[in-house]
Amino acid sequence: MKLPPGQRAVDGFPRFGTHLHHPPPPVPDDPVIAVGGALAEEFTLPVAGLADLPRCEIEADFHCVAGWSATGLRWAGVAFETLYRGRVEPRLRPGAAISHVVFEGLDGYRSVTLLEDVLTADVLIADRLDGRPLDGDHGAPVRLVSPAQYGFVNTKHLCRIEFHTAPPRVTDRWSPLAAHRRARVWEEERHLYLPGRIVRPVYRSLIGPIRRLSARGGSANRPERYS
């Protein structure tokens, strides 16, 4: 099994993130995905309505920017391209040329990606993992799965998608761990300014502390074992 540069396989699929010492956000009784941006009119897509769209399954690895990879995960859901072509494209404002997509979760987390990076066949709006519905630790009720990009792009608890004709303004505070705008794992695009191989040791040093914080808020409330 070949992994992208700088990645190491781990046992299982750890709960991980920058704000995950908090518990997962509660799932609404009737969750929806709000869709907005450069549309003639915004609309909402009930998560239950994803069942009306063609479904697909993929097996893919999940690569954290910190340097670990969970391998052989089986995701199921709706291809993002199917959602975009069937439900979004017909609603775009006349002449709108979409370049960027913003994904937002119920926990307030946002990721920004180029449209071309999420129109590949392996990008899903996923609602199942390894044959089971997503749990709170891994993004219930639905999440973005983009295997060719680092995990920080793969927004969990998805509740809103926005489509933009130019790079959206980033309002997050400055961070020394500035995320790369494309985050392609095989290009090792970890950091906005520094080469991936340079920041590997720094990112790896954060795995332990962030893992412990993440485990405190997890549904099982126990740390994962690393190989």
Side-chain angles (χ1 to χ4, degrees), residues 46-221:
V47 168
L50 293 175
D52 298 331
L53 297 172
R55 293 182 61 81
C56 60
E57 297 184 6
I58 63 168
E59 181 173 320
D61 301 337
F62 181 94
H63 306 292
C64 180
V65 71
W68 59 263
S69 296
T71 60
L73 303 175
R74 293 182 293 112
W75 300 99
V78 173
F80 178 79
E81 183 177 17
T82 297
L83 176 64
Y84 179 73
R85 301 298 184 197
R87 298 295 177 90
V88 177
E89 221 171 25
R91 292 179 164 92
L92 294 177
R93 293 198 297 258
I98 301 302
S99 60
H100 291 74
V101 188
V102 177
F103 298 91
E104 183 174 342
L106 291 166
D107 55 1
Y109 183 82
R110 298 169 79 244
S111 64
V112 181
T113 186
L114 292 179
L115 177 65
E116 65 186 87
D117 287 340
V118 289
L119 284 182
T120 57
D122 60 350
V123 176
L124 302 185
I125 304 299
D127 57 10
R128 299 183 72 84
L129 171 61
D130 291 336
R132 297 182 296 274
L134 291 179
D135 61 18
D137 287 352
H138 293 302
V142 292
R143 67 173 295 161
L144 177 69
V145 173
S146 182
Q149 294 177 285
Y150 287 115
F152 64 81
V153 172
N154 293 236
T155 299
K156 302 198 292 187
H157 319 294
L158 189 61
C159 67
R160 182 172 177 83
I161 307 174
E162 294 180 357
F163 295 88
H164 294 262
T165 59
R169 180 176 298 178
V170 177
T171 57
D172 295 339
R173 294 177 299 175
W174 179 87
S175 168
L177 302 178
H180 196 281
R181 292 194 177 95
R182 297 195 72 178
R184 293 172 296 181
V185 298
W186 289 99
E187 302 294 330
E188 203 173 353
E189 295 173 334
R190 301 179 193 272
H191 196 277
L192 183 58
Y193 306 111
L194 301 174
R197 66 182 183 278
I198 299 298
V199 298
R200 283 182 202 170
V202 177
Y203 280 61
R204 285 193 179 279
S205 70
L206 299 175
I207 290 178
I210 295 179
R211 180 185 63 175
R212 288 189 290 271
L213 286 173
S214 298
R216 291 179 188 174
S219 58
N221 196 30

Side-chain angles (χ1 to χ4, degrees), residues 26-34 44-50 106 140-142 158-159:
V27 176
D29 291 336
D30 297 302
V32 300
I33 301 172
T44 58
L45 175 67
V47 168
L50 293 175
L106 291 166
V142 292
L158 189 61
C159 67

